């Protein structure tokens, strides 16, 4: 899943693709590099971000989705809003990637249920401007807590009429989580697989990688985290991750090719 942020303030590439033409061109480049699908987002969810108006989000994503979908791309819309999801699906999106798992706007579940679209539900506790206040996972620890809370969202999703076969789950790396929480979740993906849905993982360029690579107390800059992400991708290749949400598609494809070659040799 190649990331196309049509925003002025996303943490990694905000402002680089914040016009329709630039975003469409970037989406086409990601497809050429080997992306299977494109995730188009018009709202930054970086820590501390404020939300755009609904009209702003619609103006950002709908023209991009329409043009890419008309060109044959499989498109996902990255949104928490029912109005945006509905307009995006009408424009040709076939997947709704909701980082709130239906908590931010429960009406989004009804929109997806009536559309036949695939739904990605991420583990989420609060909007970007407040999520740092919700990193306590006691007493059960982050893995069991995330599994339970995602399970609760899955029940609500199914109750809204979205069959489990149409759902992917995302552990929500970086969202209301300290660096150590992300590593614990990555090491225990089999526990989340127990919920019976495919898993999407989005670790690309996130702050826990910057913290891992810190020098003199200063996290590695966003643009210099990709090598660590590529290493992580290679390690995740045989851990049952069904979809990787990434910025650098070519580097990710290279890592997967290496992992596949090593796996083929090991199986002989």
């Amino acid at each position: 899943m190649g990331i196309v942020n049509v925003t002025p303030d996303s943490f990694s590439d905000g402002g680089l693709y914040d016009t329709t033409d630039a975003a469409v061109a970037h989406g086409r480049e990601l497809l050429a590099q080997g992306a299977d699908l494109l995730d188009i987002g018009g709202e930054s969810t970086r820590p501390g971000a404020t939300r755009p108006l609904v009209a702003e989000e619609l103006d950002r994503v709908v023209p991009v989705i329409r043009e890419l979908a008309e060109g044959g791309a499989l498109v996902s819309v990255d949104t928490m809003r029912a109005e945006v999801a509905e307009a995006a699906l009408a424009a040709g999106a076939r997947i709704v990637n909701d980082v709130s798992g239906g908590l931010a706007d429960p009406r989004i579940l009804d929109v997806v249920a009536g559309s036949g679209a695939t739904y990605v539900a991420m583990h989420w506790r609060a909007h970007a401007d407040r999520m740092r206040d919700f990193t306590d996972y006691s007493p059960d620890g982050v893995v069991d807590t995330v599994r339970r809370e995602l399970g609760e969202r899955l029940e609500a999703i199914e109750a809204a009429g979205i069959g489990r076969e149409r759902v992917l789950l995302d552990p929500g790396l970086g969202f209301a989580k300290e660096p150590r929480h992300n590593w614990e979740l990555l090491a225990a993906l089999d526990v989340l697989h127990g919920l019976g849905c495919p898993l999407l993982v989005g670790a690309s360029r996130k702050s826990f990688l910057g913290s891992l690579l810190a020098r003199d107390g200063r996290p590695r800059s966003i643009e210099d985290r990709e090598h660590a992400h590529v290493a992580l991708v290679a390690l995740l290749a045989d851990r049952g991750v069904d979809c990787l949400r990434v910025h650098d598609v070519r580097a990710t494809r290279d890592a997967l090719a290496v992992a596949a070659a090593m796996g083929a040799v090991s199986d002989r």
Side-chain angles (χ1 to χ4, degrees):
M1 176 186 274
I3 299 168
V4 181
N5 289 319
V6 196
T7 58
D9 58 343
S10 290
F11 82 95
S12 173
D13 53 8
L16 292 179
Y17 315 111
D18 62 351
T19 67
T20 298
D21 288 347
V24 169
H26 184 55
R28 289 172 176 160
E29 175 61 22
L30 294 180
L31 291 171
Q33 292 177 8
D36 296 302
L37 66 157
L38 301 173
D39 195 38
I40 316 300
E43 175 181 355
S44 173
T45 52
R46 63 177 174 78
T50 55
R51 306 196 72 189
L53 299 174
V54 175
E56 289 178 313
E57 189 178 351
L58 285 167
D59 287 345
R60 291 171 182 176
V61 302
V62 171
V64 177
I65 290 169
R66 181 176 293 111
E67 190 161 346
L68 288 168
E70 287 177 352
L74 175 59
V75 176
S76 165
V77 60
D78 179 0
T79 187
M80 294 180 272
R81 288 170 163 150
E83 300 98 322
V84 177
E86 188 169 30
L89 292 169
R94 292 165 55 190
I95 301 165
V96 174
N97 180 16
D98 177 4
V99 300
S100 81
L103 288 171
D105 184 354
R107 295 174 300 155
I108 201 170
L109 300 181
D110 297 327
V111 169
V112 175
S115 71
T118 297
Y119 185 65
V120 182
M122 193 191 80
H123 179 261
W124 184 89
R125 286 183 154 188
H127 284 292
D129 59 346
R130 297 190 303 120
M131 65 181 176
R132 288 179 174 139
D133 299 328
F134 293 87
T135 59
D136 184 359
Y137 291 92
S138 59
D140 297 326
V142 68
V143 174
D144 287 345
T145 303
V146 168
R147 188 190 191 283
R148 183 181 70 252
E149 293 178 1
L150 273 178
E152 292 167 357
R153 296 316 306 148
L154 186 56
E155 291 177 4
I157 290 162
E158 290 187 292
I162 304 170
R164 190 173 294 222
E165 72 280 359
R166 292 164 54 195
V167 179
L168 284 81
L169 299 177
D170 179 343
L173 303 179
F175 286 78
K177 295 174 184 71
E178 297 173 1
R180 61 185 175 87
H181 293 144
N182 301 295
W183 295 114
E184 290 174 27
L185 285 166
L186 287 167
L189 291 176
D190 57 325
V191 174
L192 300 183
H193 261 299
L195 292 169
C197 292
L199 295 183
L200 180 150
V201 170
S204 183
R205 301 180 183 174
K206 288 194 171 176
S207 60
F208 74 99
L209 296 175
S211 297
L212 175 72
L213 304 171
R215 293 191 63 183
D216 300 323
R218 299 180 63 182
R220 179 77 63 83
S221 63
I222 291 168
E223 59 271 17
D224 289 329
R225 298 172 186 171
E226 191 58 44
H227 292 164
H229 178 247
V230 166
L232 179 59
V233 165
L235 292 171
L236 290 177
D238 63 351
R239 289 186 176 236
V241 177
D242 300 275
C243 186
L244 293 163
R245 185 176 183 274
V246 306
H247 293 88
D248 191 330
V249 170
R250 176 171 288 131
T252 302
R253 279 289 183 195
D254 290 351
L256 291 172
V258 170
M262 288 296 292
V265 172
S266 299
D267 290 340
R268 288 177 186 171

